[in-house]
Amino acid sequence: MKAALVSFVTLLAAVQLLPVSRSNPPEEGNPEAPAAIVRLLKRACYDCHSNETRWPWYSFIAPASWLVSRHVAEARRRLNFSEWGEYASDPDTASHKLGEIADQVASGKMAPWYYRAMHADARLNLAERQMLTRWARTSSAAMRSSD
């Protein structure tokens, strides 16, 4: 039993040495939105969907660090507010991203339950959810009509 415990502790210590990406690359533009929307996005969404991630303490401890790093990389791949300039250069892409934001927020799929459980800032009340959904849908429609 003692040997198993020592082996487990040694393994746990060794995995802490494995490198994990926790980068915050430079920003390339954020969406233009009313100040209230920007504050809401920064509070509830930017930790995963921007290059302004605030890495929590557990993101420095394996194996949680592996999960957090992977989740942030996947979230940034799907939507990265810090790279909004790239989306905005193609109105169809920006409109699609805004439509996805509206759908995900309105359905309650964003933020995921496991993230909301540990991050109170990501919990949107009904009014915030409606405000964010309305902004995204209105902005998406405006981009489609400007083509």
Short mmCIF file of all heavy atoms in Angstrom, two decimals, residues 24-55:
data_model
loop_
_atom_site.label_atom_id
_atom_site.label_comp_id
_atom_site.label_asym_id
_atom_site.label_seq_id
_atom_site.Cartn_x
_atom_site.Cartn_y
_atom_site.Cartn_z
N ASN A 24 -1.75 33.76 -24.23
CA ASN A 24 -2.70 34.80 -24.56
C ASN A 24 -2.07 35.63 -25.69
O ASN A 24 -1.40 36.63 -25.43
CB ASN A 24 -3.02 35.69 -23.36
CG ASN A 24 -4.02 35.07 -22.43
OD1 ASN A 24 -4.80 34.21 -22.82
ND2 ASN A 24 -4.01 35.48 -21.18
N PRO A 25 -2.27 35.17 -26.94
CA PRO A 25 -1.67 35.89 -28.07
C PRO A 25 -2.19 37.32 -28.17
O PRO A 25 -3.23 37.65 -27.57
CB PRO A 25 -2.11 35.08 -29.30
CG PRO A 25 -2.64 33.80 -28.78
CD PRO A 25 -3.05 34.02 -27.36
N PRO A 26 -1.52 38.15 -28.95
CA PRO A 26 -1.99 39.53 -29.12
C PRO A 26 -3.38 39.56 -29.76
O PRO A 26 -3.74 38.67 -30.52
CB PRO A 26 -0.96 40.16 -30.07
CG PRO A 26 0.17 39.22 -30.14
CD PRO A 26 -0.30 37.88 -29.68
N GLU A 27 -4.11 40.61 -29.44
CA GLU A 27 -5.45 40.78 -30.00
C GLU A 27 -5.38 41.36 -31.39
O GLU A 27 -4.47 42.11 -31.71
CB GLU A 27 -6.27 41.71 -29.11
CG GLU A 27 -6.60 41.10 -27.78
CD GLU A 27 -7.56 41.95 -26.99
OE1 GLU A 27 -8.37 42.66 -27.61
OE2 GLU A 27 -7.48 41.89 -25.76
N GLU A 28 -6.37 41.00 -32.20
CA GLU A 28 -6.45 41.50 -33.57
C GLU A 28 -7.79 42.20 -33.80
O GLU A 28 -8.26 42.26 -34.92
CB GLU A 28 -6.27 40.34 -34.55
CG GLU A 28 -4.93 39.67 -34.43
CD GLU A 28 -4.80 38.44 -35.29
OE1 GLU A 28 -5.57 38.29 -36.26
OE2 GLU A 28 -3.93 37.61 -34.98
N GLY A 29 -8.39 42.70 -32.76
CA GLY A 29 -9.65 43.41 -32.89
C GLY A 29 -10.78 42.72 -32.16
O GLY A 29 -10.84 41.49 -32.13
N ASN A 30 -11.63 43.49 -31.56
CA ASN A 30 -12.80 43.00 -30.84
C ASN A 30 -14.05 43.48 -31.55
O ASN A 30 -14.02 44.44 -32.31
CB ASN A 30 -12.78 43.50 -29.39
CG ASN A 30 -11.72 42.80 -28.57
OD1 ASN A 30 -11.85 41.63 -28.26
ND2 ASN A 30 -10.66 43.51 -28.22
N PRO A 31 -15.19 42.82 -31.30
CA PRO A 31 -16.41 43.28 -31.96
C PRO A 31 -16.82 44.68 -31.50
O PRO A 31 -16.59 45.05 -30.35
CB PRO A 31 -17.46 42.24 -31.53
CG PRO A 31 -16.89 41.51 -30.39
CD PRO A 31 -15.42 41.68 -30.43
N GLU A 32 -17.41 45.42 -32.43
CA GLU A 32 -17.96 46.72 -32.06
C GLU A 32 -19.35 46.46 -31.50
O GLU A 32 -20.18 45.82 -32.14
CB GLU A 32 -18.04 47.62 -33.28
CG GLU A 32 -16.68 48.05 -33.77
CD GLU A 32 -16.75 49.04 -34.92
OE1 GLU A 32 -17.79 49.74 -35.05
OE2 GLU A 32 -15.78 49.10 -35.67
N ALA A 33 -19.55 46.93 -30.29
CA ALA A 33 -20.82 46.68 -29.60
C ALA A 33 -21.02 47.76 -28.55
O ALA A 33 -20.06 48.41 -28.12
CB ALA A 33 -20.81 45.31 -28.95
N PRO A 34 -22.26 47.94 -28.10
CA PRO A 34 -22.50 48.89 -27.00
C PRO A 34 -21.70 48.48 -25.76
O PRO A 34 -21.39 47.30 -25.57
CB PRO A 34 -24.00 48.74 -26.74
CG PRO A 34 -24.57 48.19 -28.00
CD PRO A 34 -23.48 47.33 -28.60
N ALA A 35 -21.38 49.46 -24.96
CA ALA A 35 -20.54 49.22 -23.77
C ALA A 35 -21.10 48.13 -22.87
O ALA A 35 -20.35 47.30 -22.34
CB ALA A 35 -20.37 50.52 -22.98
N ALA A 36 -22.42 48.07 -22.70
CA ALA A 36 -23.01 47.05 -21.83
C ALA A 36 -22.78 45.65 -22.40
O ALA A 36 -22.54 44.70 -21.64
CB ALA A 36 -24.51 47.30 -21.67
N ILE A 37 -22.82 45.51 -23.70
CA ILE A 37 -22.57 44.21 -24.34
C ILE A 37 -21.10 43.83 -24.20
O ILE A 37 -20.77 42.69 -23.87
CB ILE A 37 -22.99 44.24 -25.83
CG1 ILE A 37 -24.50 44.43 -25.97
CG2 ILE A 37 -22.52 42.99 -26.55
CD1 ILE A 37 -25.34 43.30 -25.44
N VAL A 38 -20.22 44.80 -24.42
CA VAL A 38 -18.78 44.53 -24.27
C VAL A 38 -18.48 44.06 -22.85
O VAL A 38 -17.76 43.08 -22.64
CB VAL A 38 -17.94 45.76 -24.65
CG1 VAL A 38 -16.47 45.56 -24.29
CG2 VAL A 38 -18.09 46.06 -26.14
N ARG A 39 -19.03 44.75 -21.85
CA ARG A 39 -18.82 44.34 -20.45
C ARG A 39 -19.33 42.93 -20.21
O ARG A 39 -18.67 42.12 -19.55
CB ARG A 39 -19.49 45.32 -19.48
CG ARG A 39 -18.75 46.61 -19.28
CD ARG A 39 -19.32 47.43 -18.12
NE ARG A 39 -20.73 47.75 -18.27
CZ ARG A 39 -21.20 48.79 -18.93
NH1 ARG A 39 -20.37 49.64 -19.51
NH2 ARG A 39 -22.50 49.02 -19.01
N LEU A 40 -20.49 42.62 -20.74
CA LEU A 40 -21.09 41.30 -20.57
C LEU A 40 -20.24 40.22 -21.24
O LEU A 40 -19.96 39.17 -20.65
CB LEU A 40 -22.51 41.30 -21.14
CG LEU A 40 -23.37 40.07 -20.91
CD1 LEU A 40 -23.50 39.76 -19.43
CD2 LEU A 40 -24.75 40.31 -21.51
N LEU A 41 -19.81 40.48 -22.46
CA LEU A 41 -18.95 39.52 -23.17
C LEU A 41 -17.64 39.30 -22.41
O LEU A 41 -17.21 38.16 -22.24
CB LEU A 41 -18.65 40.01 -24.58
CG LEU A 41 -19.80 40.03 -25.57
CD1 LEU A 41 -19.38 40.71 -26.87
CD2 LEU A 41 -20.31 38.62 -25.84
N LYS A 42 -17.03 40.39 -21.96
CA LYS A 42 -15.76 40.26 -21.23
C LYS A 42 -15.94 39.48 -19.93
O LYS A 42 -15.10 38.67 -19.57
CB LYS A 42 -15.14 41.64 -20.96
CG LYS A 42 -14.55 42.23 -22.22
CD LYS A 42 -13.80 43.51 -21.94
CE LYS A 42 -13.23 44.03 -23.24
NZ LYS A 42 -11.81 44.15 -23.23
N ARG A 43 -17.04 39.72 -19.25
CA ARG A 43 -17.30 39.04 -17.97
C ARG A 43 -17.60 37.56 -18.17
O ARG A 43 -17.06 36.71 -17.48
CB ARG A 43 -18.47 39.71 -17.26
CG ARG A 43 -18.70 39.17 -15.86
CD ARG A 43 -20.04 39.58 -15.29
NE ARG A 43 -21.02 38.57 -15.66
CZ ARG A 43 -22.31 38.78 -15.80
NH1 ARG A 43 -22.81 39.99 -15.63
NH2 ARG A 43 -23.12 37.80 -16.09
N ALA A 44 -18.47 37.25 -19.11
CA ALA A 44 -19.00 35.89 -19.21
C ALA A 44 -18.36 35.02 -20.29
O ALA A 44 -18.46 33.80 -20.20
CB ALA A 44 -20.51 35.96 -19.47
N CYS A 45 -17.71 35.63 -21.27
CA CYS A 45 -17.27 34.84 -22.43
C CYS A 45 -15.77 34.87 -22.70
O CYS A 45 -15.22 33.92 -23.26
CB CYS A 45 -17.98 35.34 -23.70
SG CYS A 45 -19.78 35.46 -23.56
N TYR A 46 -15.11 35.96 -22.35
CA TYR A 46 -13.74 36.16 -22.79
C TYR A 46 -12.73 35.17 -22.19
O TYR A 46 -11.67 34.98 -22.77
CB TYR A 46 -13.29 37.60 -22.50
CG TYR A 46 -13.54 38.56 -23.63
CD1 TYR A 46 -14.74 38.55 -24.33
CD2 TYR A 46 -12.59 39.50 -24.00
CE1 TYR A 46 -14.98 39.44 -25.36
CE2 TYR A 46 -12.82 40.39 -25.02
CZ TYR A 46 -14.01 40.35 -25.71
OH TYR A 46 -14.24 41.23 -26.73
N ASP A 47 -13.02 34.57 -21.06
CA ASP A 47 -12.04 33.63 -20.50
C ASP A 47 -11.76 32.46 -21.43
O ASP A 47 -10.65 31.93 -21.45
CB ASP A 47 -12.47 33.11 -19.13
CG ASP A 47 -11.98 34.01 -18.01
OD1 ASP A 47 -11.13 34.89 -18.25
OD2 ASP A 47 -12.45 33.83 -16.88
N CYS A 48 -12.74 32.06 -22.19
CA CYS A 48 -12.55 30.95 -23.13
C CYS A 48 -12.51 31.42 -24.58
O CYS A 48 -11.80 30.84 -25.39
CB CYS A 48 -13.66 29.91 -22.98
SG CYS A 48 -13.67 29.09 -21.39
N HIS A 49 -13.28 32.45 -24.89
CA HIS A 49 -13.45 32.86 -26.29
C HIS A 49 -12.71 34.15 -26.62
O HIS A 49 -13.23 35.00 -27.35
CB HIS A 49 -14.95 33.03 -26.59
CG HIS A 49 -15.70 31.75 -26.59
ND1 HIS A 49 -15.64 30.84 -27.62
CD2 HIS A 49 -16.53 31.21 -25.67
CE1 HIS A 49 -16.40 29.80 -27.34
NE2 HIS A 49 -16.95 30.00 -26.15
N SER A 50 -11.50 34.31 -26.10
CA SER A 50 -10.68 35.47 -26.46
C SER A 50 -9.23 35.16 -26.11
O SER A 50 -8.92 34.11 -25.54
CB SER A 50 -11.12 36.72 -25.69
OG SER A 50 -10.59 36.73 -24.38
N ASN A 51 -8.36 36.10 -26.45
CA ASN A 51 -6.95 35.98 -26.07
C ASN A 51 -6.69 36.70 -24.76
O ASN A 51 -5.56 37.04 -24.44
CB ASN A 51 -6.06 36.55 -27.17
CG ASN A 51 -6.17 35.76 -28.45
OD1 ASN A 51 -6.65 34.64 -28.46
ND2 ASN A 51 -5.75 36.36 -29.55
N GLU A 52 -7.75 36.94 -23.99
CA GLU A 52 -7.64 37.59 -22.68
C GLU A 52 -8.01 36.62 -21.56
O GLU A 52 -8.58 37.01 -20.55
CB GLU A 52 -8.57 38.81 -22.63
CG GLU A 52 -8.22 39.89 -23.62
CD GLU A 52 -9.15 41.07 -23.55
OE1 GLU A 52 -9.67 41.38 -22.46
OE2 GLU A 52 -9.37 41.70 -24.60
N THR A 53 -7.68 35.36 -21.74
CA THR A 53 -8.03 34.34 -20.76
C THR A 53 -7.37 34.64 -19.42
O THR A 53 -6.17 34.92 -19.36
CB THR A 53 -7.59 32.95 -21.26
OG1 THR A 53 -8.23 32.70 -22.50
CG2 THR A 53 -7.94 31.86 -20.26
N ARG A 54 -8.17 34.59 -18.37
CA ARG A 54 -7.64 34.65 -17.00
C ARG A 54 -7.51 33.19 -16.57
O ARG A 54 -8.52 32.53 -16.31
CB ARG A 54 -8.58 35.41 -16.08
CG ARG A 54 -8.70 36.89 -16.42
CD ARG A 54 -9.79 37.55 -15.63
NE ARG A 54 -11.07 36.90 -16.01
CZ ARG A 54 -12.24 37.17 -15.46
NH1 ARG A 54 -12.34 38.05 -14.51
NH2 ARG A 54 -13.33 36.56 -15.87
N TRP A 55 -6.30 32.71 -16.51
CA TRP A 55 -6.06 31.29 -16.21
C TRP A 55 -6.25 31.06 -14.71
O TRP A 55 -5.51 31.61 -13.90
CB TRP A 55 -4.66 30.89 -16.65
CG TRP A 55 -4.48 31.04 -18.13
CD1 TRP A 55 -3.91 32.09 -18.78
CD2 TRP A 55 -4.92 30.12 -19.14
NE1 TRP A 55 -3.96 31.87 -20.14
CE2 TRP A 55 -4.57 30.68 -20.39
CE3 TRP A 55 -5.57 28.88 -19.11
CZ2 TRP A 55 -4.85 30.03 -21.59
CZ3 TRP A 55 -5.83 28.25 -20.31
CH2 TRP A 55 -5.48 28.81 -21.53
#
